[in-house]
Amino acid sequence: MLFLIHCTQVADGAAIREAHYDAHRAYLKASPVDIKLAGPMVADDGEARIGSVFIVGVPDRAAAEAFAAGDPFAQNGLFERVLITRFLDITLGRPAFGPAKD
């Protein structure tokens, strides 16, 4: 089943993100979790990081919670709030509306 993990970054989190970025990337690469989508959320300027989003395929909520809690960003206080919600992919990986864009 799919879960969306929405992580809101603490206001002064840039230094935390920078200090633990390599460990975060290594964690994601080594994770047995099926990460369908992942990336930073950014402010309207398109640059400043304000959080992270993941869509993961896992057997249950407990696995999604364990994945989120194990992230070095989470372990080192980067996230102010982590919201984990079941997600239904009605598109099945295809463009949802209109023709596919290159």
Side-chain angles (χ1 to χ4, degrees):
M1 65 187 63
L2 296 176
F3 284 87
L4 182 136
I5 303 171
H6 180 270
C7 308
T8 305
Q9 183 171 305
V10 296
D12 57 348
I16 297 170
R17 181 178 284 274
E18 186 175 325
H20 301 284
Y21 181 77
D22 290 341
H24 164 76
R25 295 289 298 178
Y27 175 75
L28 297 182
K29 287 180 181 180
S31 176
V33 167
D34 183 9
I35 302 170
K36 304 288 187 184
L37 179 141
M41 295 186 302
V42 295
D44 288 344
D45 67 6
E47 297 294 324
R49 305 297 200 242
I50 59 171
S52 297
V53 170
F54 304 90
I55 295 179
V56 297
V58 291
D60 53 32
R61 174 176 290 281
E65 290 171 350
F67 170 76
D71 186 336
F73 281 171
Q75 292 180 342
N76 289 282
L78 179 62
F79 300 133
E80 180 175 61
R81 180 174 178 207
V82 176
L83 178 65
I84 300 174
T85 308
R86 280 282 304 268
F87 180 80
L88 300 177
D89 179 8
I90 63 168
T91 68
L92 302 175
R94 296 184 304 269
F97 304 99
K101 305 255 191 292
D102 290 332

